[in-house]
Amino acid sequence: MVDVPAEGIAEVDVAVSGRDGIAAAVESLRSDGVVILRRAVDPALLASVNDMVIDWYSRFLNAAVHNYSLGEESATRIPDLWQDAFTEPRELQGFRKWNIAGLDSRIIPLVDCDPLYGVIHSFIGPDLSVTKTQMLVLPSGCLDSPFLHTDAGSLADIVESPDASPVMVSAQVFLTDLPNSGMGNFTCVPGSHKKRYPWSPDNPTRSQLGGPLGQEIPTDIRRQVTVRAGDIAIFIHSLWHGATSNTSAQARRSVILSYAKSFVRPYDYESTPEPVLQHGTPRQRILFGDLGSWAFRPGCFYHYPEDYLKTLAPDRAGDQ
């Protein structure tokens, strides 16, 4: 996948274009299923999140924590295509850790930072929750098999109408510069969110745990993106996407956030993570399912409470 063209993915520099840029980003999500936000994270926040990933990756290399979430409560089933990786040296394994919001409070400000949150809110609407916080490190020479897939587990086989309100989107926040191809770059097929994923005939259950996936998707319709730290790729859950191999000399670090309608069960936590309860703002706590007196009552979200709508609204006027 190193030879995948590095072009053809819509991008918006919201720092320059403001609310018009948010509208353009939402339009690209509807038409292409993906958009790149340039210069989208404040440098201080970017440095904090990058330090967080470096800290946890160092713990993994020192065997202080497991890869994925083995031994923890979330996401303990490992796809077959990565099982062999666990026999390899840790420095050659792709590091994937879920439920970061349950491990480290430094991730919390990222989930509703501007302009990311303005785009997400404008695209999905106010019925909104955070379903996944994941860190990812692809080291130089990473032995993981690159593959194209869709997101959202049992929602992976759902293709939404582009005119409907989306169910789920994800955002990959890049923490390292990827100026060239073949550095573990984000890769996708623009427009594929409108089509059913080409499951192989020997996969009747349409499982994304059997892998490898997408081997027969033509290279010429795939696109990879070159980015700088602080850029963000936002994409719909049904978009065919993945990463290239990392043939460079540096590790690729990133964080993946997933957002969905509030009725979608979170991917990597059962109840609001404790760091969010301790350090989160009212909006961040709601995004992670802290519903206060509304929690676990029938009909809570049949009509969204007005105070929730106000709390979940973006900070800047005109972004609602």
mmCIF file of all heavy atoms in Angstrom, residues 30 117 119-129 165-166 260-261 287 304 309 312 320:
data_model
loop_
_atom_site.group_PDB
_atom_site.id
_atom_site.type_symbol
_atom_site.label_atom_id
_atom_site.label_comp_id
_atom_site.label_asym_id
_atom_site.label_seq_id
_atom_site.Cartn_x
_atom_site.Cartn_y
_atom_site.Cartn_z
ATOM 1 N N ARG A 30 -20.244 14.342 3.615
ATOM 2 C CA ARG A 30 -21.427 13.779 2.960
ATOM 3 C C ARG A 30 -21.098 13.232 1.574
ATOM 4 O O ARG A 30 -21.568 12.153 1.199
ATOM 5 C CB ARG A 30 -22.528 14.848 2.848
ATOM 6 C CG ARG A 30 -23.144 15.232 4.180
ATOM 7 C CD ARG A 30 -24.480 15.951 3.996
ATOM 8 N NE ARG A 30 -25.056 16.293 5.271
ATOM 9 C CZ ARG A 30 -25.745 15.458 6.040
ATOM 10 N NH1 ARG A 30 -25.925 14.216 5.636
ATOM 11 N NH2 ARG A 30 -26.243 15.833 7.197
ATOM 12 N N TYR A 117 -14.797 19.585 17.177
ATOM 13 C CA TYR A 117 -16.125 19.400 17.736
ATOM 14 C C TYR A 117 -17.181 20.156 16.935
ATOM 15 O O TYR A 117 -18.306 19.673 16.768
ATOM 16 C CB TYR A 117 -16.151 19.850 19.202
ATOM 17 C CG TYR A 117 -17.459 19.532 19.886
ATOM 18 C CD1 TYR A 117 -17.799 18.227 20.206
ATOM 19 C CD2 TYR A 117 -18.362 20.550 20.217
ATOM 20 C CE1 TYR A 117 -18.996 17.926 20.836
ATOM 21 C CE2 TYR A 117 -19.560 20.254 20.846
ATOM 22 C CZ TYR A 117 -19.873 18.943 21.152
ATOM 23 O OH TYR A 117 -21.066 18.653 21.766
ATOM 24 N N VAL A 119 -17.230 20.599 13.733
ATOM 25 C CA VAL A 119 -17.541 19.780 12.550
ATOM 26 C C VAL A 119 -18.404 18.585 12.949
ATOM 27 O O VAL A 119 -19.409 18.283 12.300
ATOM 28 C CB VAL A 119 -16.245 19.314 11.853
ATOM 29 C CG1 VAL A 119 -16.563 18.339 10.718
ATOM 30 C CG2 VAL A 119 -15.457 20.512 11.319
ATOM 31 N N ILE A 120 -18.011 17.882 14.018
ATOM 32 C CA ILE A 120 -18.762 16.705 14.457
ATOM 33 C C ILE A 120 -20.193 17.079 14.816
ATOM 34 O O ILE A 120 -21.151 16.415 14.400
ATOM 35 C CB ILE A 120 -18.063 16.036 15.659
ATOM 36 C CG1 ILE A 120 -16.661 15.551 15.279
ATOM 37 C CG2 ILE A 120 -18.919 14.902 16.206
ATOM 38 C CD1 ILE A 120 -16.630 14.453 14.260
ATOM 39 N N HIS A 121 -20.362 18.129 15.584
ATOM 40 C CA HIS A 121 -21.695 18.560 16.011
ATOM 41 C C HIS A 121 -22.538 18.982 14.820
ATOM 42 O O HIS A 121 -23.729 18.658 14.726
ATOM 43 C CB HIS A 121 -21.574 19.703 17.024
ATOM 44 C CG HIS A 121 -22.864 20.110 17.667
ATOM 45 N ND1 HIS A 121 -23.767 20.955 17.049
ATOM 46 C CD2 HIS A 121 -23.402 19.787 18.871
ATOM 47 C CE1 HIS A 121 -24.800 21.149 17.851
ATOM 48 N NE2 HIS A 121 -24.612 20.445 18.960
ATOM 49 N N SER A 122 -21.940 19.700 13.878
ATOM 50 C CA SER A 122 -22.681 20.133 12.691
ATOM 51 C C SER A 122 -23.083 18.954 11.824
ATOM 52 O O SER A 122 -24.137 18.978 11.180
ATOM 53 C CB SER A 122 -21.824 21.104 11.861
ATOM 54 O OG SER A 122 -21.582 22.298 12.574
ATOM 55 N N PHE A 123 -22.269 17.900 11.822
ATOM 56 C CA PHE A 123 -22.522 16.749 10.953
ATOM 57 C C PHE A 123 -23.527 15.777 11.570
ATOM 58 O O PHE A 123 -24.495 15.373 10.926
ATOM 59 C CB PHE A 123 -21.202 16.035 10.667
ATOM 60 C CG PHE A 123 -21.308 14.933 9.651
ATOM 61 C CD1 PHE A 123 -21.914 15.141 8.419
ATOM 62 C CD2 PHE A 123 -20.786 13.675 9.919
ATOM 63 C CE1 PHE A 123 -22.006 14.130 7.473
ATOM 64 C CE2 PHE A 123 -20.859 12.649 8.986
ATOM 65 C CZ PHE A 123 -21.485 12.878 7.764
ATOM 66 N N ILE A 124 -23.318 15.394 12.831
ATOM 67 C CA ILE A 124 -24.188 14.414 13.475
ATOM 68 C C ILE A 124 -25.409 15.069 14.102
ATOM 69 O O ILE A 124 -26.503 14.512 14.113
ATOM 70 C CB ILE A 124 -23.411 13.612 14.539
ATOM 71 C CG1 ILE A 124 -22.368 12.717 13.869
ATOM 72 C CG2 ILE A 124 -24.353 12.744 15.371
ATOM 73 C CD1 ILE A 124 -21.620 11.809 14.838
ATOM 74 N N GLY A 125 -25.233 16.286 14.640
ATOM 75 C CA GLY A 125 -26.313 16.935 15.364
ATOM 76 C C GLY A 125 -26.090 16.838 16.860
ATOM 77 O O GLY A 125 -25.102 16.251 17.331
ATOM 78 N N PRO A 126 -27.010 17.373 17.658
ATOM 79 C CA PRO A 126 -26.806 17.448 19.109
ATOM 80 C C PRO A 126 -26.997 16.129 19.850
ATOM 81 O O PRO A 126 -26.612 16.018 21.002
ATOM 82 C CB PRO A 126 -27.861 18.468 19.550
ATOM 83 C CG PRO A 126 -28.947 18.341 18.526
ATOM 84 C CD PRO A 126 -28.241 18.067 17.229
ATOM 85 N N ASP A 127 -27.605 15.124 19.211
ATOM 86 C CA ASP A 127 -27.761 13.814 19.843
ATOM 87 C C ASP A 127 -26.451 13.069 19.676
ATOM 88 O O ASP A 127 -26.252 12.312 18.736
ATOM 89 C CB ASP A 127 -28.922 13.063 19.180
ATOM 90 C CG ASP A 127 -29.185 11.717 19.830
ATOM 91 O OD1 ASP A 127 -28.546 11.428 20.858
ATOM 92 O OD2 ASP A 127 -30.024 10.970 19.313
ATOM 93 N N LEU A 128 -25.518 13.281 20.619
ATOM 94 C CA LEU A 128 -24.118 13.002 20.361
ATOM 95 C C LEU A 128 -23.450 12.388 21.578
ATOM 96 O O LEU A 128 -23.709 12.784 22.719
ATOM 97 C CB LEU A 128 -23.428 14.324 19.990
ATOM 98 C CG LEU A 128 -21.975 14.310 19.565
ATOM 99 C CD1 LEU A 128 -21.768 13.461 18.335
ATOM 100 C CD2 LEU A 128 -21.516 15.746 19.296
ATOM 101 N N SER A 129 -22.574 11.415 21.333
ATOM 102 C CA SER A 129 -21.778 10.823 22.412
ATOM 103 C C SER A 129 -20.423 10.410 21.877
ATOM 104 O O SER A 129 -20.231 10.239 20.671
ATOM 105 C CB SER A 129 -22.494 9.609 23.018
ATOM 106 O OG SER A 129 -22.609 8.571 22.053
ATOM 107 N N SER A 165 -29.283 11.708 8.654
ATOM 108 C CA SER A 165 -28.395 12.076 9.749
ATOM 109 C C SER A 165 -27.460 10.917 10.040
ATOM 110 O O SER A 165 -27.924 9.790 10.230
ATOM 111 C CB SER A 165 -29.214 12.413 10.996
ATOM 112 O OG SER A 165 -28.364 12.733 12.078
ATOM 113 N N PRO A 166 -26.144 11.122 10.069
ATOM 114 C CA PRO A 166 -25.194 10.021 10.253
ATOM 115 C C PRO A 166 -25.332 9.377 11.633
ATOM 116 O O PRO A 166 -25.737 10.029 12.602
ATOM 117 C CB PRO A 166 -23.833 10.698 10.105
ATOM 118 C CG PRO A 166 -24.114 12.028 9.482
ATOM 119 C CD PRO A 166 -25.480 12.408 9.893
ATOM 120 N N ALA A 260 -20.917 9.094 18.061
ATOM 121 C CA ALA A 260 -22.108 8.450 17.533
ATOM 122 C C ALA A 260 -23.349 9.036 18.184
ATOM 123 O O ALA A 260 -23.272 9.801 19.163
ATOM 124 C CB ALA A 260 -22.062 6.943 17.775
ATOM 125 N N LYS A 261 -24.506 8.687 17.635
ATOM 126 C CA LYS A 261 -25.763 8.999 18.286
ATOM 127 C C LYS A 261 -25.775 8.379 19.685
ATOM 128 O O LYS A 261 -25.157 7.336 19.918
ATOM 129 C CB LYS A 261 -26.943 8.465 17.476
ATOM 130 C CG LYS A 261 -27.078 9.061 16.074
ATOM 131 C CD LYS A 261 -27.530 10.503 16.133
ATOM 132 C CE LYS A 261 -27.890 11.032 14.754
ATOM 133 N NZ LYS A 261 -28.284 12.449 14.779
ATOM 134 N N LEU A 287 -20.975 13.808 27.054
ATOM 135 C CA LEU A 287 -20.493 13.087 25.876
ATOM 136 C C LEU A 287 -20.066 11.659 26.223
ATOM 137 O O LEU A 287 -20.144 10.766 25.381
ATOM 138 C CB LEU A 287 -19.323 13.844 25.239
ATOM 139 C CG LEU A 287 -19.666 15.111 24.456
ATOM 140 C CD1 LEU A 287 -18.400 15.877 24.084
ATOM 141 C CD2 LEU A 287 -20.467 14.775 23.212
ATOM 142 N N TYR A 304 -34.767 15.039 23.595
ATOM 143 C CA TYR A 304 -33.551 15.473 24.275
ATOM 144 C C TYR A 304 -33.847 16.668 25.178
ATOM 145 O O TYR A 304 -34.477 17.628 24.744
ATOM 146 C CB TYR A 304 -32.488 15.878 23.250
ATOM 147 C CG TYR A 304 -31.140 15.257 23.499
ATOM 148 C CD1 TYR A 304 -30.484 14.527 22.524
ATOM 149 C CD2 TYR A 304 -30.508 15.410 24.728
ATOM 150 C CE1 TYR A 304 -29.243 13.959 22.745
ATOM 151 C CE2 TYR A 304 -29.268 14.846 24.968
ATOM 152 C CZ TYR A 304 -28.646 14.124 23.984
ATOM 153 O OH TYR A 304 -27.413 13.569 24.216
ATOM 154 N N LEU A 309 -29.121 20.017 25.224
ATOM 155 C CA LEU A 309 -28.870 20.647 23.929
ATOM 156 C C LEU A 309 -27.986 21.885 24.092
ATOM 157 O O LEU A 309 -27.084 22.130 23.292
ATOM 158 C CB LEU A 309 -30.195 21.025 23.270
ATOM 159 C CG LEU A 309 -31.139 19.871 22.930
ATOM 160 C CD1 LEU A 309 -32.427 20.413 22.318
ATOM 161 C CD2 LEU A 309 -30.478 18.887 21.983
ATOM 162 N N LEU A 312 -24.351 20.702 25.068
ATOM 163 C CA LEU A 312 -23.620 20.033 24.006
ATOM 164 C C LEU A 312 -23.325 20.941 22.810
ATOM 165 O O LEU A 312 -22.583 20.558 21.916
ATOM 166 C CB LEU A 312 -24.413 18.814 23.509
ATOM 167 C CG LEU A 312 -24.464 17.636 24.485
ATOM 168 C CD1 LEU A 312 -25.444 16.568 23.983
ATOM 169 C CD2 LEU A 312 -23.083 17.025 24.687
ATOM 170 N N GLN A 320 -23.791 25.905 15.611
ATOM 171 C CA GLN A 320 -24.810 24.955 16.019
ATOM 172 C C GLN A 320 -25.582 24.429 14.833
ATOM 173 O O GLN A 320 -25.715 25.097 13.844
ATOM 174 C CB GLN A 320 -25.760 25.596 17.041
ATOM 175 C CG GLN A 320 -25.023 26.090 18.296
ATOM 176 C CD GLN A 320 -25.988 26.695 19.292
ATOM 177 O OE1 GLN A 320 -27.133 26.299 19.395
ATOM 178 N NE2 GLN A 320 -25.519 27.689 20.016
#
